[in-house]
Amino acid sequence: MSSKTKDSSGEKPRKDKNIEISDKNKKNEGRTERRHQRVFWEKKRTASFDAYKRQGVSVFMDKEELDKETIVQMESWGKPERLELLKRGDAFRMTPEAVRESETGIAVTRGAVDLLVGIRANLRMEVHGKWTPETQKWEKETLGLKIPAFKRQKDKLPQTEEAWEERLVKELEKGVGTWSRNKGGGGIDIVGCPDRIQGFHNEWNPPRQSTEGASKWKEKKGEKRKRVAESRPDNISIKEHIEFGALRRDQRRWRFERADKGGGAVLISRQRWKREARKQVEGKEAYAKANEIEKEFREENLDPKGVRWLEGATGDNNSIRLWRSSLDFKPLKKDIGEERREGEWTSEEGVIQSTLTRLEYWMTQAEFGPGSGRRVCREGNGQRTDETKDRVDLPEDIIRDLVARKKKEEGENARWGLGKIDTLSRSEMKAIALEVTQKLHKTPVEQRPVGRAFASPTRPLETFVNNLLVEVIGDGERERNKDGQDRIILEDSRELVGDLEKMMKVWDEEHTNPYPGLWEERVEIETWDVSALYPSLKIQYVIREIDTLLVERIDSRKGEEKKRAEALREIVIPLIIFQLQHQIVYVLSDEREEKEEKIFYWQKEGVGIGNVASGALANGTLLVGERKMLKEMKEQGYRVLLYKRYIDDILAIFEHQDGLQKRKGAEMMEKLINGLDSKDGSIKVTPAKGISSMRKREKKTQEESVEYLDVEIVLTGQPEMRLETGIYRKAAAADMYIQANSAHPWALKMGVVKGELIRYLTRCSTEERFEKAWARFRAALLTRGYTGGQLQKARGGVGWSDRRERIDKMDERARERAEGGGGRGYDKNTLSIYIPFRPGAEEWWEGGAELREGLECLEHEEKQYMAQNMRVNYIKTPTLGGLMKKRNGDKEKQKAGEKSKKRKVS
């Protein structure tokens, strides 16, 4: 009788005990086997990840994601084609699709526009001389600047054929001419020039050129064309392309990016990446939810007792200058009207609109406007008091550009004297995303927070502030140099090597003619790193020190120059205050796909990483205290031969009699640096790392080295001590240079090789160390697919014998830039054509060679004003890392578009 049938009594018979035990055993055996299989594949996965690391690739995901990986997923990590794909690096470019007719059409139309604008500009320069924008005149005459700080944001134009065709029509309608008082008040007009420009555009017919170029390329590279058409790049294998597709489809939504400081490539799951970013803000004292900023705002209150102040520089009689907080005002509803976005700090659109609304009000009403006042009350009629009536205001052109507004049209009743909103510029703005990069050189691995702020609403303001501060700091450093004192702030490590070589020359002279006690002297080289510099800087400390720096600049000038320096102070500090008090960033929630949200945080203290002005703010903040520190150490008898700082990396060289003050100088300096911000403790350095040597070295004394930036500083030599420099590379650095078969222009790849060679040449103090660095670099490039012949050709013109001449030229260019000159500037003889670097682009460019040789269709009066040459500028195509996360970007754009539609409907 079957065990499933019932007996005559109707009861279900019991299952045989032996059968039950057998079933349990089978189940247990199955579980055990699966467990063993999982343990086996987990070990294989670990071994695969170790192999990845040896090739410069690190993989990160959450523990939950690791535990949930199926055996198939674990097995896929061992596929050689996946490793081959990833070790190409995040900057690798797969061969993209062939150049499109729309792209060649945009290239030619944009070229025609640039040609017409260039002719008009050259004509104006010929008639009127060099044209200077009004904003530059204001900066020079009012603020005393040598280098233009304000750079107008370029007009945004959609990269479509229709948009550029429309722009060309507008430019043609303007004609080509200028009015000249020197020519009897008449106008100079190049008749027919617009028609000939239109002829140039028609002559180089985009569809014809595109067709010819593509056909030539197809005949030459038929198989390549076929693969590209099938979306199969020809510079990776089919199996690699399949793995690329698998990684993009993976639900973990991988990001493929570069590690911090050249540590190789990182493949990290989106969940792990988001959680690491949230750790930077959640529970941190410097951050609060963005809507908390609303509680800090006040209705405008001009009663001094109700105003919050930030302390500035200390003046005569120990009086402290007070600066008004930008949080101490709130635009009135009657001024904002239906556009009101104030208080909306939980969505991207709300953050952008709220920030710009407050910035508009700050610059036109609260701080710089005709009826504004900061330190004292306004009169009853709304006008400034006698004490503030002579304050300098920002020009309207600068204000408009900083807040993305258009010029006010005649009869237009715009808010606060500004024109309509530049909707195209604002539509391209993005809130600041707080992301992280992996510090693979740290054990355990740490994360560096990075603010992706390339399109933030305050980006123009940050750029303006940065340029102002760079000139102030540069002027102060040059004046210090004229007084016989060394500059403190390093521009780059090349400058440091130059200072060390000068020091070595002095030592060589002393070794030749030693003075009494020379051989008993000891040299110490110490380095420090400022811990978490940007987020640690308290806003009050930044304002006080930057204001002191500006006051020192005022005190060093006389007459009109002094007035200009005072005006600059009145402009800079309020802009810095607003910028630092309105730092809004976002991180992403833990939800996946459509449920994922942006969580906005307000950075209450510190300088945002990703802020354009962060470097200048940090440099200016520490500089005043460092000068006082060096003066104090000199007065106490410490011999500091050299003190340099690059952002948060500090180097100092001491000299003293052996046995006296041993390491005392380093200890004193460390104490003084940690005390730069005695009130809030913003500055803390890591313990010093250093080396030392007697000026006379024993035979058995081994050389010692310490690293600083990308330079290895070595104390060597016998019997006299010598100081040499070479190239320093972190142990975790990976040789993930652009592969030879990556779809980059060949000139760019060779430019990278030559650029590295020049870096080695200018950082190495001996030919032996230079050749050693080149040999390592050459060996690494050979593994990336380059040939010895290609590398030897790239090295042409970069030899040790040319070192001094090349350094002198670089120094001269640096001096010219510092004094407001230098750089290539506007090249009136060259017209650039921009086109994406896709298959067929080079052939398309070669197809227009006859036109490039002189623009034959333009042989009339404009010939002396037009560009005589044409060159191609290739626009970059997506990288492997960019393509990996493109799917995520597309979804975000789609979500943003859907939200925008809903708002319009409502």
Side-chain angles (χ1 to χ4, degrees):
M1 183 175 64
S2 172
S3 62
K4 292 184 180 180
T5 60
K6 295 182 179 181
D7 58 15
S8 56
S9 65
E11 295 182 358
K12 186 176 179 180
R14 295 181 179 179
K15 197 171 183 179
D16 190 287
K17 270 191 174 181
N18 293 330
I19 296 175
E20 288 182 1
I21 293 172
S22 176
D23 289 345
K24 284 182 180 179
N25 289 338
K26 285 180 181 178
K27 287 181 181 179
N28 291 334
E29 288 174 2
R31 290 194 194 101
T32 304
E33 184 179 355
R34 287 193 296 272
R35 189 160 52 248
H36 286 167
Q37 281 184 342
R38 184 159 190 87
V39 170
F40 171 79
W41 282 109
E42 283 176 351
K43 289 181 179 179
K44 293 280 285 184
R45 180 180 62 187
T46 302
S48 298
F49 286 168
D50 290 340
Y52 281 34
K53 283 184 180 179
R54 289 193 292 272
Q55 296 295 331
V57 180
S58 299
V59 182
F60 294 90
M61 62 182 107
D62 274 345
K63 185 178 184 306
E64 181 184 352
E65 292 173 321
L66 274 170
D67 294 340
K68 286 185 176 181
E69 271 204 322
T70 64
I71 289 178
V72 173
Q73 287 176 322
M74 288 189 280
E75 186 179 4
S76 65
W77 294 113
K79 293 181 179 179
E81 50 269 22
R82 177 171 289 191
L83 176 58
E84 285 298 315
L85 173 73
L86 295 178
K87 77 178 186 180
R88 294 181 182 275
D90 64 297
F92 181 81
R93 294 182 189 170
M94 295 187 290
T95 306
E97 296 178 354
V99 65
R100 307 183 184 101
E101 288 188 1
S102 61
E103 291 168 335
T104 58
I106 292 172
V108 175
T109 307
R110 180 176 179 178
V113 170
D114 290 346
L115 180 62
L116 182 58
V117 171
I119 292 173
R120 196 182 293 134
N122 290 337
L123 174 62
R124 185 171 57 228
M125 188 177 295
E126 180 75 20
V127 175
H128 301 287
K130 186 177 179 180
W131 177 72
T132 304
E134 290 299 319
T135 54
Q136 288 187 23
K137 291 179 183 177
W138 174 80
E139 289 175 346
K140 185 176 182 180
E141 296 169 2
T142 307
L143 306 182
L145 300 182
K146 298 175 185 176
I147 305 173
F150 171 73
K151 295 179 181 178
R152 187 176 180 274
Q153 302 297 305
K154 292 183 179 179
D155 292 334
K156 304 292 183 182
L157 198 66
Q159 295 303 305
T160 62
E161 284 187 278
E162 294 77 13
W164 278 105
E165 288 287 352
E166 185 178 341
R167 172 73 182 274
L168 178 60
V169 170
K170 289 181 179 179
E171 294 295 339
L172 292 171
E173 289 174 351
K174 291 180 184 178
V176 179
T178 186
W179 181 85
S180 172
R181 183 177 290 129
N182 297 331
K183 301 291 182 180
I188 298 177
D189 187 22
I190 303 180
V191 180
C193 179
D195 294 334
R196 291 188 287 274
I197 297 290
Q198 184 69 63
F200 157 75
H201 177 259
N202 295 338
E203 183 74 19
W204 202 359
N205 190 311
R208 179 180 66 82
Q209 288 295 326
S210 179
T211 303
E212 288 185 4
S215 62
K216 290 179 183 178
W217 179 77
K218 186 175 179 179
E219 293 170 7
K220 187 178 178 181
K221 304 281 185 180
E223 181 59 28
K224 180 190 283 188
R225 180 72 179 85
K226 182 180 177 182
R227 287 186 179 183
V228 172
E230 295 174 356
S231 298
R232 288 165 50 199
D234 67 324
N235 57 348
I236 64 173
S237 68
I238 296 175
K239 288 185 176 181
E240 286 179 70
H241 194 248
I242 292 171
E243 283 303 307
F244 170 69
L247 287 171
R248 288 189 74 189
R249 291 190 300 272
D250 196 304
Q251 293 300 310
R252 287 168 285 189
R253 299 172 69 181
W254 297 102
R255 291 178 63 93
F256 192 41
E257 52 198 23
R258 198 162 305 177
D260 186 53
K261 296 185 178 179
V266 170
L267 184 71
I268 183 169
S269 71
R270 189 170 177 83
Q271 284 299 103
R272 173 73 178 268
W273 175 75
K274 291 192 299 184
R275 288 177 184 174
E276 295 291 357
R278 289 200 301 274
K279 286 179 184 178
Q280 308 300 318
V281 295
E282 291 177 346
K284 303 291 184 180
E285 187 179 347
Y287 290 91
K289 288 290 183 70
N291 52 13
E292 292 292 316
I293 194 175
E294 179 73 10
K295 298 176 182 177
E296 296 294 322
F297 299 152
R298 299 181 183 177
E299 296 290 346
E300 189 168 8
N301 181 0
L302 296 175
D303 181 358
K305 292 182 180 179
V307 176
R308 289 167 292 186
W309 307 99
L310 292 168
E311 293 182 0
T314 302
D316 298 333
N317 302 320
N318 289 325
S319 61
I320 298 176
R321 171 66 184 272
L322 299 177
W323 297 90
R324 185 183 178 188
S325 167
S326 67
L327 302 177
D328 227 16
F329 71 91
K330 196 171 185 180
L332 303 176
K333 292 182 179 180
K334 66 181 181 65
D335 292 326
I336 300 175
E338 296 300 321
E339 274 186 40
R340 181 170 175 80
R341 291 285 179 194
E342 257 283 323
E344 295 186 15
W345 302 92
T346 55
S347 68
E348 185 161 29
E349 184 182 4
V351 165
I352 292 172
Q353 189 65 41
S354 295
T355 303
L356 291 176
T357 298
R358 291 184 59 77
L359 182 58
E360 288 174 7
Y361 190 82
W362 176 250
M363 291 196 294
T364 59
Q365 304 298 304
E367 189 61 31
F368 298 116
S372 65
R374 177 179 357 97
R375 291 181 295 141
V376 294
C377 301
R378 290 200 293 252
E379 301 286 2
N381 58 7
Q383 297 302 310
R384 289 179 180 169
T385 61
D386 291 338
E387 191 175 350
T388 59
K389 66 181 181 181
D390 294 329
R391 282 190 53 216
V392 177
D393 284 336
L394 281 172
E396 187 181 323
D397 286 350
I398 293 180
I399 294 176
R400 281 203 315 268
D401 202 68
L402 296 183
V403 297
R405 287 270 183 178
K406 294 182 178 179
K407 190 173 182 178
K408 184 180 177 181
E409 298 178 1
E410 189 175 349
E412 184 181 350
N413 185 21
R415 183 177 68 194
W416 301 328
L418 301 172
K420 295 179 180 178
I421 290 175
D422 186 344
T423 53
L424 184 58
S425 294
R426 292 203 180 186
S427 67
E428 295 187 352
M429 290 181 178
K430 304 290 181 186
I432 302 173
L434 186 68
E435 301 179 357
V436 291
T437 57
Q438 308 301 316
K439 295 182 178 181
L440 301 182
H441 56 282
K442 298 286 187 179
T443 305
V445 175
E446 297 177 6
Q447 287 72 38
R448 181 187 298 278
V450 178
R452 300 300 184 193
F454 59 89
S456 74
T458 56
R459 184 81 171 184
L461 173 63
E462 295 165 8
T463 304
F464 184 44
V465 169
N466 175 74
N467 295 341
L468 291 171
L469 289 178
V470 165
E471 177 153 350
V472 169
I473 294 169
D475 281 350
E477 290 285 82
R478 283 188 290 275
E479 289 174 10
R480 180 182 174 85
N481 213 230
K482 289 177 183 177
D483 294 338
Q485 303 177 70
D486 289 330
R487 295 165 56 114
I488 290 176
I489 296 174
L490 278 176
E491 298 292 333
D492 56 29
S493 56
R494 178 179 63 83
E495 182 184 332
L496 171 67
V497 172
D499 289 334
L500 295 177
E501 290 182 346
K502 290 176 185 176
M503 188 181 297
M504 192 62 239
K505 283 184 180 179
V506 174
W507 285 344
D508 283 340
E509 292 175 2
E510 292 175 349
H511 294 160
T512 305
N513 301 297
Y515 53 80
L518 172 66
W519 304 121
E520 286 74 39
E521 288 186 350
R522 176 175 291 274
V523 172
E524 291 184 6
I525 303 177
E526 306 284 350
T527 63
W528 294 269
D529 180 46
V530 183
S531 302
L533 176 60
Y534 292 143
S536 299
L537 289 174
K538 301 295 188 293
I539 294 176
Q540 174 60 81
Y541 175 52
V542 174
I543 298 304
R544 183 173 63 246
E545 296 302 302
I546 296 289
D547 194 32
T548 304
L549 186 69
L550 292 168
V551 169
E552 289 182 356
R553 189 171 190 266
I554 293 170
D555 293 341
S556 67
R557 283 159 171 72
K558 297 179 181 179
E560 290 298 318
E561 287 296 316
K562 189 181 186 75
K563 289 183 179 179
R564 294 187 180 108
E566 289 171 346
L568 179 62
R569 180 192 185 192
E570 299 294 329
I571 292 292
V572 171
I573 296 298
L575 294 180
I576 294 176
I577 290 173
F578 184 94
Q579 176 186 327
L580 294 181
Q581 291 185 331
H582 291 78
Q583 299 182 107
I584 309 294
V585 300
Y586 74 82
V587 291
L588 295 170
S589 66
D590 218 17
E591 288 78 20
R592 298 175 184 266
E593 302 296 336
E594 289 76 11
K595 294 182 179 180
E596 182 180 88
E597 296 291 340
K598 294 177 180 177
I599 307 171
F600 288 88
Y601 281 84
W602 171 38
Q603 185 173 346
K604 300 184 293 182
E605 290 290 356
V607 178
I609 299 176
N611 184 327
V612 178
S614 59
L617 286 167
N619 279 336
T621 300
L622 272 65
L623 193 56
V624 175
E626 287 172 318
R627 290 172 181 171
K628 292 178 182 177
M629 174 190 71
L630 293 175
K631 184 179 179 181
E632 182 179 343
M633 292 195 69
K634 184 178 180 180
E635 291 172 351
Q636 293 186 22
Y638 294 99
R639 293 161 64 186
V640 183
L641 301 183
L642 190 71
Y643 178 86
K644 295 290 180 181
R645 177 173 55 80
Y646 183 83
I647 310 296
D648 59 352
D649 292 306
I650 299 172
L651 176 139
I653 300 180
F654 304 90
E655 191 175 52
H656 59 81
Q657 289 290 315
D658 189 40
L660 299 176
Q661 293 184 342
K662 187 175 182 181
R663 286 197 57 80
K664 293 291 184 182
E667 292 172 4
M668 174 58 73
M669 182 169 283
E670 186 171 315
K671 180 181 177 181
L672 292 175
I673 293 173
N674 285 331
L676 288 179
D677 182 13
S678 57
K679 291 186 177 180
D680 297 310
S682 297
I683 307 300
K684 297 295 177 186
V685 295
T686 57
K689 292 191 300 182
I691 55 175
S692 68
S693 172
M694 296 292 293
R695 293 286 288 271
K696 187 173 184 178
R697 295 163 59 87
E698 301 294 334
K699 289 184 179 180
K700 294 182 180 180
T701 305
Q702 295 183 345
E703 67 178 30
E704 293 184 87
S705 65
V706 66
E707 65 275 2
Y708 182 73
L709 304 180
D710 62 340
V711 178
E712 181 185 30
I713 304 172
V714 184
L715 292 178
T716 184
Q718 289 175 352
E720 297 92 358
M721 183 201 73
R722 290 199 57 78
L723 187 152
E724 296 179 0
T725 58
I727 296 297
Y728 169 72
R729 296 182 79 247
K730 289 187 179 294
D735 295 325
M736 300 198 78
Y737 302 104
I738 298 173
Q739 285 193 333
N741 67 338
S742 178
H744 287 77
W746 187 251
L748 185 147
K749 298 173 192 173
M750 293 297 98
V752 170
V753 175
K754 196 163 187 176
E756 276 292 272
L757 262 171
I758 293 173
R759 185 170 72 89
Y760 298 160
L761 189 69
T762 55
R763 271 64 171 181
C764 296
S765 60
T766 65
E767 184 174 6
E768 180 185 357
R769 295 184 185 278
F770 167 68
E771 292 296 342
K772 180 182 176 182
W774 163 245
R776 190 215 62 79
F777 183 46
R778 183 179 183 277
L781 290 177
L782 290 175
T783 66
R784 303 296 281 175
Y786 297 89
T787 66
Q790 292 169 342
L791 299 179
Q792 191 59 37
K793 186 177 180 181
R795 182 174 174 171
V798 184
W800 184 254
S801 59
D802 305 320
R803 181 176 186 264
R804 189 70 261 164
E805 181 183 354
R806 189 175 289 276
I807 290 175
D808 290 341
K809 287 182 179 179
M810 294 171 77
D811 289 340
E812 181 62 30
R813 284 199 295 269
R815 281 192 294 271
E816 288 177 356
R817 286 194 299 270
E819 294 169 2
R824 292 178 57 184
Y826 173 64
D827 186 357
K828 67 177 183 179
N829 292 317
T830 302
L831 174 67
S832 294
I833 301 295
Y834 297 88
I835 189 167
F837 188 69
R838 297 177 179 273
E842 290 176 299
E843 288 75 13
W844 172 82
W845 174 245
E846 291 169 3
E850 294 180 359
L851 287 171
R852 293 199 307 279
E853 289 174 358
L855 303 170
E856 285 81 351
C857 61
L858 302 174
E859 297 180 350
H860 301 277
E861 296 90 338
E862 67 269 14
K863 191 171 181 63
Q864 56 183 318
Y865 303 113
M866 71 182 186
Q868 302 299 310
N869 305 304
M870 292 174 67
R871 70 179 178 197
V872 64
N873 282 4
Y874 291 117
I875 301 171
K876 63 183 180 181
T877 53
T879 61
L880 189 59
L883 289 170
M884 197 81 80
K885 63 182 180 182
K886 188 177 180 182
R887 165 192 172 214
N888 304 335
D890 291 343
K891 289 195 174 185
E892 287 177 5
K893 288 180 181 178
Q894 184 179 352
K895 284 169 65 178
E898 290 173 356
K899 288 182 180 179
S900 179
K901 287 180 181 178
K902 288 179 181 178
R903 280 193 297 271
K904 288 180 180 178
V905 170
S906 61

